[in-house]
Amino acid sequence: MTLEEFKKFDLEYTVCECFDITLGELLEAIKNGNDTLESLMDETDAGTACGLCRSVEEDEDGDRELHLDEILKFAKEN
Ligand code: FES
């Protein structure tokens, strides 16, 4: 995914379906210092159930369009 593709996601987009966590909530948690995957998962619960939203590697069938590791990467680049 490119930065341009990432920017097309709305803040209301549900990244983690298991816990109904939006992109906006995740970006807020990252802004508040949860800038590692472990910390972000601890803080929001996102990624702690089925795990498909964690990374492209863990989502072999491409069930989720956006993953926590991509959000962390682009949040740091921005
Ligand atoms: S979609 Fe995030 S843990 Fe299942």
Side-chain angles (χ1 to χ4, degrees), residues 44-60:
T44 65
D45 283 340
T48 60
C50 75
L52 293 179
C53 65
R54 256 181 251 154
S55 67
V56 177
E57 290 74 29
E58 286 168 275
D59 181 16
E60 286 180 0

Side-chain angles (χ1 to χ4, degrees), residues 17-73:
E17 289 196 342
C18 292
F19 292 102
D20 199 20
I21 312 290
T22 64
L23 174 59
E25 291 173 295
L26 290 163
L27 289 174
E28 186 67 24
I30 293 169
K31 205 168 82 185
N32 291 335
N34 300 289
D35 60 357
T36 66
L37 188 56
E38 292 69 27
S39 172
L40 189 57
M41 287 168 55
D42 275 355
E43 177 69 16
T44 65
D45 283 340
T48 60
C50 75
L52 293 179
C53 65
R54 256 181 251 154
S55 67
V56 177
E57 290 74 29
E58 286 168 275
D59 181 16
E60 286 180 0
D61 294 331
D63 283 334
R64 309 299 306 134
E65 284 183 86
L66 184 59
H67 305 85
L68 301 182
D69 66 340
E70 296 170 304
I71 299 167
L72 280 163
K73 175 174 172 253

